Amino acid sequence: MTYICSCSACPPPDASRLKVSGSQQQLERGRKECEEAGGWWAIQCSGYGSCGVCDRSRTQLAHCGIPPHREAMTGLEWGPEVAARDQFPPSEEQGEAGSMAGKPPKKSSIPGVSIRQLVNEIPEGCSTPDFKQKPVTLALPEGKNAIFRAVVCGEPRPEVHWQSTKGDLCNSSKYQISSAPGGEEHVLQINKLTGEDSDLYRCRAVNAYGEATCSVRLTVIEVGFRKNRKRQMEPQEDLKQELIDFRKMLKKRTPPPAPDKKMESAQVWQLLMTADRKDYEKICMQYGIVDFRGMLRKLQEMKKEQEDRMAQYVHAIANLRHIRVTKEGVATFDLELDLKDFGSKIYLYKDGEMIPYGFDNQTKHCLRRLGKRYHFQIQDLRPEDAGLYQVMVEDAVVFSTELEASTIPPRVVVPLAEACCEEQGDAVFECTLSNPCPNAAWHFQHRTLRLSDRYEVSVSPDGLTHRLVVKGASCSDMGLYSLNTGLHASSAWLVVEGGKDKGPQTTDTDHRLQSRRDTQEGRSDVCGQRQDATQSPRSRYKPGPGSSTEARGSMDHFSQGLVDTEVQLGEAAVLSCTLTSDLGPGTWFKDGVKLPAGDGVVLEQDGLTHRLILTHVEGTQAGRYTFVAGRQHTEASLAVQDPPTIAPDVTETLREPLVFKAGKPVVVKIPFQSHLPVQAVWRKDGDEVVGSNRRGIQVALGDGYTRLCLPSASRKDSGLYSVTLSSEGGCVQAEFTLQVIDKPQPPQGPLEVQDCHRAGVCLCWRPPKDDGGQAIQHYVVEKRQAGRSTWLKVGEPPPDSTSFTDTSVEQGRKYAFRVRTVTSEGAGDALESEEVLVAPEALPGPPSAPDILSASSQSITLTWVAPQGPGSAHILGYLVEKRKKGSNTWITVNEQPVAERRCTVVDLRQGCQYEFRVRAVAPSGPGEPGPPSDAVFARDPKRPPGPVRDLRVTDTSNTSVTLSWTRPDTQDDDEVQGFIVELCGSDNLQWSPCHVGTVPGTTFTVKGLRPQEGYLLRVTAVNDGGHGQATCLDSLVHAMPAAVFPKFLMDSSTMDTLTVKAGDSIRVPVSFEAAPMPEVTWLKDGLPLPKRSVTTVKDGLAQLLIPAASLSDRGQYTVMLRNLQGKEATYSFSISVAACPQAPGPVSLQENVPGTVTVQWEPSPDEAQGIPLYYTVLKRSSAHGSWCEVANRVHTNRFTLLGVLPGHEYHFRVLAKNELGASKPSDTSQPWCIPKQREKFTVKAPTYREPNLSQKPRFLVGLRAHLLPQGCECRMTCAVQGSPSPRVTWFRNNQSLDRNPALYSTDMLGVCSLVIPSVSLKDSGEYKAVAENPLGQAVSTATLIVTEYNS
């Protein structure tokens, strides 16, 4: 359906024809409204944008009386004539082509693209330009860079031009136009956006056959004073002319799904490796993986590789939680890692790029670690945060998860703006989000907006722009409208202005908006005046920014205008003003609505003073009040304070401190009353509780109460707590003191322990830092002896004393001490000291070993030397102890210490042997005992023994002399108990003992003597009666062994003759014995040895060594021993030196006797020298290839070989040998051979008759039938036998197949085959194989059936 605009501003009718979608009623309604304005025209939006002239939203189907708006609208479907002359000036090519072609535009597959053909016919292979991808509408903040991308196609390749409504883009620093060489993508980049860059941009692709165009809108979001300044500079046009549109012609569109971000293949596999199995199908469908089984196989291999890499750094990984977005708009994901090395570095990657993270909430990406749990957070989510996130330990990926763009909460990009319209007009709100939000909801006055015919809600095709149209707005529609996305919201006010006949609603629009802002500002100060509101229950009057008389009316008519007022809920409020003259009865208005007198509302007039009295103010009565008298008015705001209230009994209870024991739960519940939503803020000592680092504190806000919970109170929880309850009606605060009592802390250390010797041990400490909230009653001091586990209480010092002395300690022992603080809550932890040794006084040292002065059967007299060292200065006396020899029990002899260092011990048993020791006694106590004395018998003295007899030397050596003797004669009581051996050197006159103690036997060896030195020796007998008379040797004894005559030690292995090989070494050892060492002499053939021979003598062994033997070393060798006394001994042996013999001379052969051969050779040159040798003869015949020995130990120069065979060739070899080896061989120059005469003989060959193997053909394996479909290969095989070999001929239906090119036959050793590569229906029939030879023939038949494909 086509309508033509009739207004004079539009182009001629043929050029203003528009395509308008909608019903007949909608079009008629629009036509009538336009006719009233002097003409009409209509458009339909194909997208969302804004008008480039009036900057109105192009989502409004508007009709205006100014046709040029059409050129500034984007995304509109115009008629073919108008499309040729759109908002951009036509190019020269367009003008020429348009004038001659006039072809209608072609349909493009991309919405919003217009294609115009410039020629009548397009050659084959060529095409008009078209867009594969058109630019996307952008809404960006100022300062960013805008990038438009277009992908065009066409043959020949079109040229692409970019334009804006302001002209060409010639500024190269601002606009950068680029295209890929040879590619189809073209890019327009606008750098550093400003508010002036908001415009409509057009991309035009042109070639020889047509052009394609599309337009795109760029919206620059301005912030700060620039935005406000621009709005102030924009002209305010008539709202009625701006807000009229064809709303019912719009169709609601479902927002298209946002295009998925392309992900690389490697990232998809990383995502699959950590995903749950139930999510495999969804991920495969999302990223186009169709081979599900192949995916599982590859995934298993990749998991194994990843586990091998992870095993280097991680013991185990568990409890993977993929990314999720909380209701606060924070994305979180976590996992548990058991690291091998806690120092391993952990990295976070997004789409393959490493991103930094922190460890607190101050950074966008943060990590919180609790034990093995790693919790990642992504705050302030934006659309660009979508992607694949990976956690890596060193270089191994351990977890991958994806943040989808659809889960990111949308943000407000373009907020709602305040709307102003006339009564019964339409108000429009628009809000642009960062990403689609299907769940976005509209609210009015903080309540969900119930949709009806009066409200029209729509969403742009891209799902970003949300639009609300309030139809036929009235005063009841005034208020706060907001769009809530769940996490973010945008709000704006709607102001409805009345007509001229409606009193104060006819005021200026800017004045009305300013009044609304003043009301909001007045309300924002309510909480700030909470303290005053609680102190005074009466109304308060506060001049505000809107209270000036210039803003309310002329001061010539009001001596006192209305002033802004604040009042508590439920109290009375009075608004009054005074006129300067009587202007007649006045009228009161609230928020633009006439206020009649009624329940709770009293209107009074006292002369020129007019009052409005609200007897019981309610929350709904807050607003803007206006008084109108004639054409004058004054207005003011009324704010109703409705803070939460806390019951007085609760406040009275909280004045007393709240006392709790440590470890117990603390619950403080404060009830309150409020008609408005309340927020509760708890503080402790001025710091807010929620959000602090304290753990376990829970704050709850319920219906009419707020509660503070401490699961387990501690001393740190003590302090001043306060809760602030705030609402739009005001604030109230309650305070209380929380006191947590506990056991006291241990006293402050360290615990000083000082040894005061005889006074005991002194302890010192400091009072505890925290007494647990109770007064200290006393301290408890305990001690524990080292090695024990029991603590003993030793005292309870008063609270004002921090020292204590323990006098019950024992010297020389170690003790540990501890101190506890005791209050009414009990004893606290203890302050413990280290183990301390209580040092004793110094004791005297041990005396020397006692000496025996005399001994008898009745008593023994001792003496000793006093001790030395610390503690020995003041000796009180000595204690003497005794014990029997062999016993371990010491018995004190004297009970009281003796002052002298001499003591006679009595009370002894006669004949017993005793030992004695002495202790020194000082004031500090007895000291350690001294060493014991020698054992002594308690008996009367004996007579000394007599001298020993027969003292003699039995053996001597270089270092020792052995003596022997006979015991002396004994009488009654002079029995010998031992002997003492003494010696005296030849150069010394002092006798010295040769041993310790006594010698029990009658032999002794004196050791350690110097060789060849002379010594005098004597022996003395000893018993208890003393030493007897000493017996001495008559002469000096020399330390030297006894003389032994030289003698050779020979055995059966000793040889008199020794034969060696020339060049070898000769070593001849000769053993002998002699003492002292004799003189050793070596002779060769009676003469001294040559210098090249070496002799050694050591420990009874004489040795002859010749390094390399030669023939000159042959001869008789003699070794001679001679001692100091002239005694001699000789030993002789022969050495024979020989070498391998030389080779014999030439070898000759002769036959002296038939059938034999005699071998003769020249003797070896060594034979002439008399060297014993012999010969060996070897033979090799032609029948046997190896040498064999035929004669050995031949001492002549010839040898005769018997049994020579005629016809055989013989070779001979002669070797000269001796005991040392063989010479080189001598061979015959020519072989020896006796000719062999042959006799004639006759060989008769046997005769035989060959068998007849001829056989006529016969088939061992015959042909078989075949049933095959068309196109298959057919192979017929049979096996035939016959002699001579038969010839096989193939037939089909009795026709020979020899010359048929479609098949072939083979014959391999009687196995014959007929092969048809591809059978067809005509190959069906009876096949026959005929085998023929001269003896006959054989036939084998079979049937081939070929079927069709569908059979």
Side-chain angles (χ1 to χ4, degrees):
M1 183 177 297
T2 303
Y3 290 88
I4 300 176
C5 179
S6 60
C7 66
S8 58
C10 287
D14 60 336
S16 62
R17 192 172 289 111
L18 308 174
K19 296 191 297 182
V20 180
S21 301
S23 62
Q24 179 71 26
Q25 292 80 3
Q26 292 171 336
L27 296 176
E28 289 295 333
R29 175 185 169 186
R31 183 180 63 82
K32 291 179 180 179
E33 293 178 356
C34 288
E35 286 177 352
E36 295 177 0
W40 77 277
W41 53 280
I43 58 175
Q44 179 186 3
C45 295
S46 62
Y48 290 84
S50 60
C51 178
V53 175
C54 64
D55 201 24
R56 292 192 300 271
S57 171
R58 69 171 179 174
T59 60
Q60 304 172 4
L61 286 181
H63 66 278
C64 303
I66 307 176
H69 283 219
R70 177 188 61 193
E71 283 80 11
M73 297 297 291
T74 61
L76 310 180
E77 297 182 5
W78 294 88
E81 295 83 356
V82 179
R85 291 179 289 118
D86 55 8
Q87 63 271 28
F88 293 95
S91 61
E92 297 179 0
E93 295 85 359
Q94 279 184 285
E96 296 175 1
S99 61
M100 70 178 183
K103 283 286 185 178
K106 297 178 63 177
K107 183 70 173 179
S108 174
S109 60
I110 305 298
V113 176
S114 176
I115 302 178
R116 179 173 179 79
Q117 181 175 330
L118 303 179
V119 296
N120 292 330
E121 295 182 1
I122 299 177
E124 185 177 357
C126 299
S127 64
T128 59
D130 195 2
F131 282 83
K132 291 184 178 180
Q133 177 183 338
K134 70 174 185 177
V136 180
T137 299
L138 299 178
L140 299 173
E142 57 182 350
K144 298 289 185 178
N145 295 342
I147 299 177
F148 296 108
R149 302 178 188 273
V151 180
V152 299
C153 60
E155 188 62 33
R157 181 173 299 164
E159 296 181 359
V160 176
H161 304 278
W162 296 86
Q163 290 178 323
S164 68
T165 57
K166 300 176 183 179
D168 293 336
L169 311 178
C170 57
N171 188 353
S172 59
S173 61
K174 181 69 173 180
Y175 305 99
Q176 297 180 2
I177 301 175
S178 62
S179 60
E184 298 178 344
E185 185 181 53
H186 300 266
V187 179
L188 168 63
Q189 178 174 338
I190 306 175
N191 299 323
K192 296 183 180 180
L193 295 177
T194 61
E196 298 177 355
D197 294 326
S198 295
D199 203 349
L200 186 68
Y201 293 85
R202 176 187 181 191
C203 181
R204 184 166 59 91
V206 181
N207 66 2
Y209 304 106
E211 70 172 0
T213 59
C214 68
S215 300
V216 63
R217 164 67 59 181
L218 172 61
T219 302
V220 179
I221 304 170
E222 296 181 278
V223 295
F225 69 92
R226 293 190 184 93
K227 179 177 180 181
N228 298 332
R229 181 181 179 184
K230 181 176 180 181
R231 288 186 177 179
Q232 293 175 5
M233 295 175 62
E234 291 177 354
Q236 298 294 327
E237 299 184 4
D238 188 1
L239 295 178
K240 183 176 180 179
Q241 296 296 329
E242 294 181 358
L243 300 178
I244 299 176
D245 63 284
F246 296 127
R247 293 180 294 276
K248 294 184 180 180
M249 299 173 63
L250 287 175
K251 295 181 180 179
K252 295 184 179 179
R253 305 191 182 195
T254 302
D260 294 339
K261 184 177 181 180
K262 292 185 179 179
M263 188 179 294
E264 297 181 1
S265 176
Q267 297 177 348
V268 176
W269 287 108
Q270 288 290 341
L271 182 62
L272 282 169
M273 278 195 292
T274 54
D276 297 333
R277 296 183 66 88
K278 61 183 179 63
D279 298 330
Y280 284 175
E281 184 177 359
K282 181 183 72 173
I283 297 175
C284 291
M285 294 180 61
Q286 182 178 358
Y287 296 104
I289 301 177
V290 295
D291 186 5
F292 197 73
R293 292 186 177 179
M295 179 274 294
L296 292 177
R297 287 194 299 268
K298 182 176 180 181
L299 192 60
Q300 187 175 6
E301 296 174 359
M302 295 182 66
K303 282 185 176 180
K304 185 176 181 181
E305 295 177 0
Q306 185 180 15
E307 289 174 357
D308 294 340
R309 291 194 298 268
M310 289 168 49
Q312 303 177 16
Y313 313 106
V314 181
H315 286 296
I317 178 172
N319 296 333
L320 305 176
R321 290 188 181 180
H322 288 270
I323 204 163
R324 59 192 182 280
V325 180
T326 63
K327 62 181 180 180
E328 292 82 10
V330 179
T332 64
F333 61 95
D334 47 44
L335 67 159
E336 288 186 5
L337 282 177
D338 187 5
L339 298 178
K340 292 184 177 180
D341 182 9
F342 288 100
S344 299
K345 295 183 179 180
I346 298 179
Y347 303 98
L348 180 62
Y349 283 78
K350 176 184 177 293
D351 295 333
E353 297 182 0
M354 187 176 69
I355 55 178
Y357 62 86
F359 298 93
D360 51 20
N361 294 332
Q362 304 300 323
T363 58
K364 182 176 181 64
H365 304 84
C366 65
L367 166 63
R368 292 181 178 178
R369 177 178 175 181
L370 181 60
K372 299 180 182 180
R373 196 74 184 173
Y374 293 81
H375 185 81
F376 290 88
Q377 288 187 355
I378 308 173
Q379 304 186 26
D380 191 22
L381 289 179
R382 297 182 180 273
E384 57 267 21
D385 293 328
L388 179 68
Y389 289 83
Q390 294 176 314
V391 179
M392 296 184 66
V393 178
E394 297 297 344
D395 58 347
V397 179
V398 298
F399 184 46
S400 300
T401 182
E402 183 182 11
L403 175 59
E404 298 181 356
S406 58
T407 61
I408 298 178
R411 304 175 64 90
V412 177
V413 178
V414 180
L416 295 176
E418 291 182 349
C420 181
C421 69
E422 293 184 356
E423 192 171 1
Q424 299 303 321
D426 293 344
V428 180
F429 292 96
E430 283 188 356
C431 180
T432 303
L433 305 178
S434 60
N435 50 317
C437 181
N439 300 325
W442 289 91
H443 292 74
F444 174 61
Q445 296 291 70
H446 304 290
R447 297 176 183 176
T448 303
L449 186 66
R450 296 183 180 180
L451 300 181
S452 62
D453 294 340
R454 299 183 62 253
Y455 302 102
E456 182 176 340
V457 178
S458 59
V459 183
S460 62
D462 57 4
L464 301 181
T465 304
H466 293 253
R467 186 168 181 266
L468 170 65
V469 179
V470 182
K471 303 178 181 178
S474 62
C475 294
S476 60
D477 294 324
M478 293 178 58
L480 186 68
Y481 288 81
S482 61
L483 178 66
N484 192 346
T485 63
L487 185 62
H488 302 282
S490 178
S491 303
W493 279 86
L494 170 61
V495 178
V496 179
E497 297 180 349
K500 295 182 179 181
D501 57 344
K502 296 185 180 181
Q505 287 87 343
T506 60
T507 56
D508 183 75
T509 301
D510 292 339
H511 176 65
R512 174 62 60 188
L513 293 177
Q514 182 64 33
S515 300
R516 176 59 57 189
R517 297 189 188 100
D518 295 341
T519 303
Q520 295 178 358
E521 293 175 1
R523 291 183 179 181
S524 64
D525 295 335
V526 172
C527 188
Q529 301 294 331
R530 176 195 57 80
Q531 193 68 23
D532 297 336
T534 57
Q535 293 177 359
S536 175
R538 295 175 297 178
S539 300
R540 295 170 310 282
Y541 298 92
K542 177 183 68 174
S547 63
S548 63
T549 56
E550 289 79 7
R552 291 171 172 79
S554 175
M555 286 297 297
D556 297 338
H557 301 281
F558 288 94
S559 61
Q560 179 181 354
L562 296 179
V563 294
D564 294 340
T565 307
E566 291 183 359
V567 65
Q568 291 284 351
L569 182 68
E571 297 180 356
V574 179
L575 298 176
S576 65
C577 61
T578 304
L579 296 171
T580 56
S581 61
D582 188 5
L583 300 179
T587 306
W588 290 87
F589 294 87
K590 177 184 179 293
D591 294 333
V593 180
K594 184 177 180 181
L595 187 65
D599 188 14
V601 178
V602 179
L603 303 179
E604 293 182 355
Q605 180 178 0
D606 184 8
L608 298 179
T609 301
H610 296 263
R611 297 186 184 90
L612 170 62
I613 303 175
L614 303 177
T615 59
H616 188 79
V617 176
E618 298 178 356
T620 57
Q621 292 179 332
R624 194 72 174 174
Y625 287 83
T626 305
F627 176 76
V628 179
R631 300 182 60 85
Q632 307 300 323
H633 71 278
T634 179
E635 58 184 14
S637 297
L638 175 64
V640 179
Q641 294 286 343
D642 186 14
T645 59
I646 300 176
D649 56 342
V650 176
T651 306
E652 187 67 23
T653 302
L654 295 179
R655 290 181 179 178
E656 296 295 331
L658 303 181
V659 181
F660 291 88
K661 287 190 176 183
K664 300 294 183 179
V666 176
V667 179
V668 180
K669 182 178 180 181
I670 299 179
F672 62 86
Q673 295 180 354
S674 178
H675 300 85
L676 298 175
V678 175
Q679 292 183 353
V681 178
W682 287 83
R683 289 181 173 84
K684 176 182 178 293
D685 298 330
D687 297 330
E688 188 173 351
V689 173
V690 177
S692 65
N693 295 327
R694 294 181 49 79
R695 296 181 179 179
I697 295 184
Q698 300 176 2
V699 176
L701 179 63
D703 187 9
Y705 70 91
T706 178
R707 182 174 57 213
L708 173 69
C709 297
L710 302 177
S712 179
S714 64
R715 287 283 296 162
K716 295 181 180 180
D717 296 325
S718 299
L720 179 62
Y721 286 79
S722 65
V723 58
T724 302
L725 304 175
S726 59
S727 67
E728 292 185 357
C731 303
V732 66
Q733 180 174 339
E735 294 182 349
F736 64 91
T737 301
L738 177 63
Q739 181 179 357
V740 180
I741 59 176
D742 196 0
K743 293 181 179 180
Q745 292 184 355
Q748 299 184 64
L751 180 57
E752 298 179 1
V753 181
Q754 184 177 3
D755 185 7
C756 299
H757 299 291
R758 296 183 181 182
V761 176
C762 298
L763 308 178
C764 294
W765 64 90
R766 291 184 296 166
K769 288 185 178 180
D770 186 6
D771 57 5
Q774 299 293 329
I776 299 176
Q777 296 178 349
H778 59 80
Y779 296 97
V780 175
V781 181
E782 297 173 309
K783 73 176 180 180
R784 176 180 57 81
Q785 188 174 337
R788 299 181 180 180
S789 59
T790 304
W791 289 88
L792 302 177
K793 184 169 74 171
V794 296
E796 293 184 355
D800 56 349
S801 176
T802 57
S803 63
F804 180 78
T805 301
D806 182 15
T807 59
S808 61
V809 294
E810 298 180 11
Q811 295 181 353
R813 297 186 181 274
K814 286 186 176 181
Y815 294 92
F817 296 88
R818 69 182 184 184
V819 181
R820 295 176 182 267
T821 306
V822 180
T823 64
S824 59
E825 293 298 316
D829 295 335
L831 172 64
E832 189 171 343
S833 70
E834 300 291 337
E835 290 187 353
V836 178
L837 174 64
V838 181
E841 294 185 7
L843 297 177
S848 64
D851 293 330
I852 309 298
L853 294 181
S854 64
S856 66
S857 59
Q858 300 299 325
S859 65
I860 298 176
T861 302
L862 311 174
T863 184
W864 58 88
V865 178
Q868 302 294 327
S872 302
H874 304 283
I875 301 297
L876 301 179
Y878 299 93
L879 296 176
V880 180
E881 298 176 348
K882 70 177 180 178
R883 73 175 178 180
K884 291 182 180 180
K885 186 175 182 180
S887 175
N888 293 327
T889 303
W890 290 91
I891 300 173
T892 303
V893 174
N894 54 327
E895 296 181 358
Q896 297 297 328
V898 297
E900 298 180 358
R901 295 190 296 275
R902 179 188 179 97
C903 180
T904 299
V905 181
V906 296
D907 191 15
L908 302 173
R909 179 175 293 184
Q910 185 177 0
C912 290
Q913 195 173 12
Y914 290 91
E915 291 178 339
F916 300 92
R917 69 181 185 183
V918 181
R919 289 177 181 266
V921 180
S924 60
E928 294 292 329
S933 65
D934 295 335
V936 60
F937 284 95
R939 61 186 177 184
D940 295 332
K942 290 185 178 182
R943 187 173 57 184
V948 299
R949 298 175 298 161
D950 300 332
L951 179 61
R952 63 184 180 278
V953 178
T954 59
D955 189 17
T956 59
S957 68
N958 290 328
T959 59
S960 65
V961 174
T962 303
L963 303 176
S964 66
W965 60 88
T966 303
R967 291 178 176 272
D969 296 334
T970 60
Q971 296 181 2
D972 295 338
D973 54 357
D974 59 353
E975 184 179 355
V976 177
Q977 295 179 348
F979 303 93
I980 296 176
V981 181
E982 298 173 298
L983 65 82
C984 177
S986 60
D987 56 351
N988 191 0
L989 300 178
Q990 184 177 0
W991 293 91
S992 59
C994 300
H995 53 81
V996 178
T998 59
V999 178
T1002 57
T1003 60
F1004 183 75
T1005 300
V1006 181
K1007 299 180 180 180
L1009 305 179
R1010 293 190 292 271
Q1012 306 297 328
E1013 191 75 22
Y1015 295 94
L1016 289 175
L1017 298 172
R1018 72 180 183 181
V1019 178
T1020 304
V1022 178
N1023 65 4
D1024 292 337
H1027 296 261
Q1029 184 180 357
T1031 302
C1032 184
L1033 291 175
D1034 297 336
S1035 61
L1036 289 173
V1037 178
H1038 292 273
M1040 57 183 299
V1044 176
F1045 293 138
K1047 181 178 66 173
F1048 289 97
L1049 303 178
M1050 301 298 176
D1051 55 12
S1052 58
S1053 62
T1054 303
M1055 295 184 299
D1056 294 337
T1057 302
L1058 180 62
T1059 303
V1060 296
K1061 185 178 180 180
D1064 292 347
S1065 61
I1066 301 175
R1067 188 177 67 87
V1068 182
V1070 180
S1071 300
F1072 65 91
E1073 63 177 2
M1077 180 65 66
E1079 179 184 358
V1080 180
T1081 305
W1082 287 87
L1083 301 174
K1084 176 181 179 292
D1085 296 332
L1087 299 175
L1089 292 177
K1091 293 182 179 180
R1092 55 191 303 270
S1093 300
V1094 180
T1095 60
T1096 59
V1097 178
K1098 184 178 181 182
D1099 297 335
L1101 180 65
Q1103 185 170 250
L1104 171 66
L1105 176 63
I1106 301 176
S1110 62
L1111 295 179
S1112 60
D1113 294 327
R1114 292 181 297 180
Q1116 185 78 16
Y1117 286 82
T1118 303
V1119 57
M1120 182 173 57
L1121 305 177
R1122 176 180 294 176
N1123 63 0
L1124 298 177
Q1125 290 78 16
K1127 300 293 184 180
E1128 294 184 357
T1130 60
Y1131 169 68
S1132 299
F1133 59 91
S1134 299
I1135 293 179
S1136 176
V1137 179
C1140 292
Q1142 300 183 27
V1147 180
S1148 62
L1149 303 175
Q1150 60 182 350
E1151 184 181 11
N1152 297 329
V1153 179
T1156 65
V1157 59
T1158 300
V1159 182
Q1160 294 183 346
W1161 60 89
E1162 294 293 334
S1164 173
D1166 293 339
E1167 189 174 350
Q1169 299 180 5
I1171 298 176
L1173 53 82
Y1174 58 91
Y1175 298 96
T1176 299
V1177 181
L1178 305 178
K1179 178 198 73 171
R1180 179 172 63 85
S1181 66
S1182 59
H1184 302 283
S1186 60
W1187 292 95
C1188 62
E1189 184 179 304
V1190 295
N1192 191 17
R1193 291 192 175 273
V1194 178
H1195 293 277
T1196 62
N1197 296 336
R1198 66 169 54 207
F1199 171 74
T1200 301
L1201 177 64
L1202 305 178
V1204 178
L1205 299 178
H1208 286 220
E1209 292 184 353
Y1210 293 90
H1211 297 266
F1212 293 92
R1213 172 176 289 178
V1214 180
L1215 299 175
K1217 293 184 177 180
N1218 61 11
E1219 294 179 356
L1220 298 179
S1223 67
K1224 293 182 179 180
S1226 295
D1227 296 344
T1228 56
S1229 59
Q1230 295 295 330
W1232 178 263
C1233 180
I1234 300 176
K1236 182 179 180 181
Q1237 297 182 0
R1238 299 178 180 271
E1239 296 181 358
K1240 294 183 179 180
F1241 62 92
T1242 304
V1243 178
K1244 184 177 180 180
T1247 60
Y1248 62 92
R1249 186 179 64 182
E1250 294 183 358
N1252 186 9
L1253 300 179
S1254 300
Q1255 181 183 7
K1256 69 177 183 179
R1258 69 186 184 94
F1259 283 94
L1260 301 178
V1261 178
L1263 299 175
R1264 62 181 181 86
H1266 290 73
L1267 176 63
L1268 298 172
Q1270 296 185 47
C1272 292
E1273 181 187 66
C1274 179
R1275 182 182 295 271
M1276 296 184 179
T1277 305
C1278 61
V1280 64
Q1281 184 182 28
S1283 181
S1285 298
R1287 178 178 178 275
V1288 179
T1289 306
W1290 294 87
F1291 296 88
R1292 182 180 64 196
N1293 297 332
N1294 296 326
Q1295 294 183 1
S1296 177
L1297 300 176
D1298 289 344
R1299 298 184 178 180
N1300 191 340
L1303 47 82
Y1304 62 92
S1305 60
T1306 61
D1307 187 355
M1308 297 294 293
L1309 299 177
V1311 179
C1312 303
S1313 299
L1314 177 65
V1315 180
I1316 306 175
S1318 178
V1319 298
S1320 60
L1321 295 176
K1322 66 180 181 178
D1323 293 327
S1324 300
E1326 183 181 17
Y1327 285 78
K1328 180 170 60 175
V1330 178
E1332 295 179 328
N1333 69 356
L1335 300 181
Q1337 69 176 9
V1339 179
S1340 177
T1341 62
T1343 303
L1344 170 62
I1345 301 175
V1346 180
T1347 61
E1348 296 182 0
Y1349 289 110
N1350 56 0
S1351 59

